[in-house]
Amino acid sequence: MAKLFRAAIMGPPGSGKGTISQRIAQSFGLQYLSSGHFLREGIAAKTEAGLLVKTYVERSMLVPDHVMTRLMLPRLEQLSGHSWLLDGFPRTLGQALALNNLYQLDLVISLNIPYETLKERLSDRWIHPASGRVYNMGFNPPQVQGKDDITGEPLIQHDDDKPEALMARLRHYKDVAKPVIDLYKSQGILHSFSGTETDRIWPYINSLLSTKMHTQPSDTCQAQTP
Ligand code: G5P
Ligand code: MG
């Protein structure tokens, strides 16, 4: 039986984690779990967990570690027997250590996208609040302007995607992510990708995954796009 493959993708808000994760899941058949999507589903369904995390997610603040791990780790247990990719979890050192106690990741992708690019992307971003579906007016516009493709309901823009709020979120991301990145670097599983376009980063990630999923876990060289 092929060895199970476990990966995570990290990056600031708007860096393309979701877009790239969907491509990885499609191309490599990994089960894909987005922490943000999972939380928004709970909020929309008004589950106990959804009510607990609502105020954090609506203000783009990190949900406390003990809540996050209590929600995410049982989900991973349900995926035992599958290869998986985590998008947006772990985000803090506490979460990374809790995950590390249960699973050894094979690979972590870290996206380094310039601030100006993130600002442009997020100010162009529209969301269908009930489902969490995300559109970008330039990159992946809805079929009908201002309307969700599936339900036809109106799309909204997030207050936290305004430039001042965004700058604070990005600074916070860097501070919190640094020890997580250092941990995965020390384990030899971190692969960083820099660039301004997802379509140009994707071939490097595609080729890395193709290699990694067909080699031994001890093969852990550092990858960087030019
Ligand atoms: P999320 O849902 O993880 P964020 O803010 O980290 O939210 P987000 O917004 O989901 O990240 P992304 O997934 O990195 O961004 O990027 P994306 O959605 O693929 O792309 C962003 C936009 O750019 C899209 O419109 C896309 O179409 C467009 N785009 C992509 N590539 C390109 C390109 O090349 N060119 C152009 N022009 N456009 C492009 O977390 C949400 C909240 O949940 C909580 C927190 O409250 C968080 O704020 N949360 C957690 N809290 C604690 N711990 C955790 N582990 C948590 N996880 C989530
Ligand atoms: Mg996302």
Side-chain angles (χ1 to χ4, degrees):
M1 198 176 93
K3 182 189 172 297
L4 295 178
F5 192 79
R6 284 159 177 161
I9 184 161
M10 302 178 58
S15 56
K17 300 184 291 297
T19 308
I20 287 172
S21 296
Q22 279 167 18
R23 292 184 191 186
I24 293 176
Q26 244 168 25
S27 304
F28 297 96
L30 300 179
Q31 298 281 325
Y32 156 48
L33 183 55
S34 153
S35 55
H37 185 70
F38 176 50
L39 296 176
R40 284 187 292 269
E41 266 179 357
I43 294 171
K46 298 192 168 67
T47 60
E48 194 187 330
L51 294 174
L52 193 64
V53 301
K54 190 169 190 280
T55 49
Y56 295 99
V57 175
E58 283 179 350
R59 286 181 284 156
S60 296
M61 286 168 61
L62 288 185
V63 173
D65 283 352
H66 68 281
V67 177
M68 220 43 227
T69 49
R70 193 156 56 83
L71 293 174
M72 290 297 283
L73 298 178
R75 276 299 296 261
L76 289 179
E77 228 171 276
Q78 291 167 9
L79 294 181
S80 68
H82 295 275
S83 291
W84 44 247
L85 169 68
L86 301 177
D87 159 8
F89 180 89
R91 242 180 177 87
T92 66
L93 186 59
Q95 294 175 15
L97 294 174
L99 180 67
N100 217 47
N101 281 338
L102 296 174
Y103 303 97
Q104 172 60 54
L105 295 180
D106 297 296
L107 178 136
V108 175
I109 293 166
S110 169
L111 300 174
N112 299 321
I113 312 298
Y115 170 71
E116 279 307 315
T117 307
L118 297 175
K119 197 171 86 177
E120 272 169 35
R121 275 187 203 172
L122 295 181
S123 58
D124 240 9
R125 179 163 77 161
W126 290 76
I127 295 169
H128 176 238
S131 68
R133 274 186 285 281
V134 176
Y135 299 88
N136 181 281
M137 289 311 153
F139 188 67
N140 65 331
Q143 286 157 14
V144 177
Q145 203 182 346
K147 302 274 190 243
D148 178 48
D149 285 352
I150 311 285
T151 62
E153 289 168 355
L155 302 177
I156 59 149
Q157 255 196 322
H158 221 288
D159 273 356
D160 288 312
D161 288 344
K162 290 178 186 158
E164 326 75 61
L166 183 61
M167 191 65 183
R169 280 166 70 195
L170 295 181
R171 254 199 306 266
H172 185 59
Y173 170 82
K174 269 198 176 164
D175 292 346
V176 171
K178 179 150 190 328
V180 185
I181 286 174
D182 289 346
L183 172 73
Y184 290 135
K185 219 184 253 177
S186 76
Q187 294 180 347
I189 56 172
L190 184 81
H191 298 261
S192 300
F193 296 86
S194 308
T196 55
E197 287 171 52
T198 297
D199 285 348
R200 294 188 65 156
I201 291 175
W202 168 242
Y204 292 94
I205 294 182
N206 191 9
S207 125
L208 172 71
L209 265 286
S210 301
T211 311
K212 290 289 171 189
M213 288 187 70
H214 298 106
T215 53
Q216 293 304 308
S218 58
D219 173 15
T220 51
C221 66
Q222 183 84 10
Q224 182 99 33
T225 55

